[in-house]
Amino acid sequence: MDNEGQNKNPGNNSGAQGIFSTPELTVDTEKITLGANSENDKSRVASIFANTDAGQRAQKLNNAMESPAEAETADIVIDSGAKKKSKMPIIMAIAVLIVIAIGLVTFAVSKIGGDGGDEVTKVPTTAKEAFEDYRNYLVNGPEGAENTTGEWFLIALYDEDLLDVEEKTNYVNTLRVKFNTYYDMINKTDETEIYDNLLGIVVNGASLDVLSDELLETYTQGGKDGAQKYISNIAPEIKKAPNLAINMSVSVRDFLKQQLNLIEIYDSFNCIENNMILYSCGKDEGLQSATLMNVRKNQSASMQSISQLFPNVANILVEMTNDFNNSIRGTDNA
């Protein structure tokens, strides 16, 4: 059925009954004898039909059809029930809500970063873009951070209070994420593996306070075994790296082992609360044993070794990073 054609007729209403189907038409046509020229009979039938409601409606429709100009303005009312309210406002409101929801999802997806979630950045789609993103974070640090030392941000962290412990934790974790994004996009070689190890060693050397806090938290949650596994994972034995970097990695691992010894001693005197060592508690408990003094001495030696090695190892990282950067910039399809 052509619905479009029906809608063009203003007098058509599919909900109304046919004119001759109404029960109000009670004329018995079998009892009316129509002569060929009986004007009286025609007049009488017309009069009876006109007096019914159906007849009156039919007459109005007939007049409307004979006079098109009047049909547009005539006040013809055919009761077909209550007029339905338009659903357009509801549909428009739902459409607006959908648009807002899409905008919020798009904004959320554009938020990129590590644990710190520092800023909104473009998602790298190539190894070249990923390396540039990592290198910028390595050199300049998080957005808004101040560094007037002239050193790369990661290197300046070693002996400058650029960030507190929580901020430094966010920074080094985000730096690892950015590098891993690049590392996962490339074909691994001996050179890239050496660089990966070198970066991890420099990050550890620059964030000993972060490692100490993470070690204590691991100890309180998983005991001594959990803490030892943490040390093995964060400072593993490394063979592919410059010799200076390997030596510094050993020193970092020794520092963490001595830190674990300190944690065990203070824990034995109940001097650990809320993932913090209460050093003042040690004095009250007589924590001045020879064992404790020996642990502190060994840890101090490890820190001195790291201090001597760090500048040279950091310079190696700078040189390798610049070499990688020059190589990648010269490769359009990197």
Side-chain angles (χ1 to χ4, degrees):
M1 181 180 292
D2 188 352
N3 294 328
E4 183 178 358
Q6 289 182 345
N7 292 334
K8 291 179 180 179
N9 187 347
N12 183 20
N13 190 321
S14 58
Q17 294 180 337
I19 296 176
F20 296 103
S21 63
T22 175
E24 296 179 3
L25 180 57
T26 57
V27 179
D28 191 348
T29 56
E30 293 181 357
K31 295 180 181 181
I32 299 176
T33 303
L34 296 178
N37 298 314
S38 179
E39 296 297 333
N40 292 333
D41 289 342
K42 292 180 180 180
S43 176
R44 183 169 60 87
V45 172
S47 176
I48 294 172
F49 182 72
N51 289 330
T52 66
D53 291 340
Q56 293 174 0
R57 288 197 297 267
Q59 185 61 40
K60 290 180 178 181
L61 288 175
N62 185 55
N63 293 339
M65 293 174 66
E66 291 178 354
S67 304
E70 295 180 1
E72 297 179 0
T73 58
D75 188 12
I76 300 175
V77 178
I78 300 177
D79 187 8
S80 58
K83 183 179 180 181
K84 295 182 178 179
K85 294 183 178 179
S86 173
K87 296 182 179 180
M88 185 58 66
I90 298 176
I91 295 174
M92 292 181 66
I94 294 174
V96 171
L97 291 176
I98 291 174
V99 171
I100 294 174
I102 292 174
L104 292 175
V105 170
T106 302
F107 177 78
V109 170
S110 67
K111 294 284 291 181
I112 302 299
D115 294 344
D118 297 304
E119 60 263 347
V120 179
T121 60
K122 179 183 177 182
V123 179
T125 57
T126 66
K128 182 177 181 180
E129 290 179 353
F131 184 82
E132 289 175 348
D133 182 43
Y134 151 73
R135 183 181 181 278
N136 178 67
Y137 202 70
L138 171 70
V139 175
N140 300 316
E143 185 177 356
E146 295 184 3
N147 176 21
T148 59
T149 65
E151 299 279 0
W152 285 9
F153 193 87
L154 173 63
I155 298 172
L157 279 181
Y158 177 73
D159 52 12
E160 296 291 336
D161 295 328
L162 302 178
L163 303 171
D164 60 30
V165 175
E166 182 178 358
E167 292 171 336
K168 188 183 291 187
T169 301
N170 289 337
Y171 172 72
V172 296
N173 288 342
T174 302
L175 184 65
R176 289 189 179 107
V177 169
K178 288 180 179 294
F179 176 75
N180 289 337
T181 299
Y182 159 73
Y183 198 62
D184 291 341
M185 291 181 176
I186 61 175
N187 296 323
K188 310 302 184 293
T189 65
D190 285 344
E191 188 177 17
T192 58
E193 186 176 351
I194 289 172
Y195 185 89
D196 182 26
N197 292 333
L198 178 61
L199 175 64
I201 294 169
V202 175
V203 167
N204 287 344
S207 56
L208 293 177
D209 48 353
V210 171
L211 301 184
S212 297
D213 281 2
E214 291 179 348
L215 179 64
L216 178 58
E217 183 177 358
T218 304
Y219 175 85
T220 57
Q221 293 179 354
K224 181 177 180 179
D225 290 342
Q228 289 177 332
K229 288 180 181 178
Y230 171 82
I231 294 173
S232 297
N233 291 332
I234 203 70
E237 293 185 6
I238 294 175
K239 296 181 179 180
K240 288 186 177 182
N243 290 333
L244 290 177
I246 292 175
N247 292 338
M248 193 172 91
S249 179
V250 172
S251 296
V252 169
R253 186 164 59 251
D254 288 344
F255 168 86
L256 291 175
K257 287 181 178 180
Q258 299 305 322
Q259 183 68 17
L260 177 57
N261 290 335
L262 282 177
I263 290 172
E264 288 188 283
I265 293 173
Y266 278 94
D267 187 36
S268 66
F269 284 90
N270 297 318
C271 292
I272 295 178
E273 279 187 15
N274 300 322
N275 289 329
M276 293 181 62
I277 297 177
L278 304 179
Y279 293 101
S280 59
C281 166
K283 294 179 181 180
D284 296 337
E285 299 292 339
L287 261 174
Q288 301 296 328
S289 66
T291 302
L292 179 62
M293 294 298 100
N294 188 53
V295 169
R296 290 189 179 279
K297 179 181 178 180
N298 291 336
Q299 189 176 51
S300 178
S302 297
M303 293 182 65
Q304 184 176 0
S305 174
I306 294 170
S307 178
Q308 292 173 347
L309 292 169
F310 187 85
N312 293 326
V313 176
N315 286 337
I316 297 174
L317 178 68
V318 171
E319 292 175 2
M320 288 195 70
T321 303
N322 288 336
D323 289 342
F324 272 47
N325 187 51
N326 293 335
S327 176
I328 291 174
R329 284 181 177 276
T331 306
D332 292 334
N333 59 351

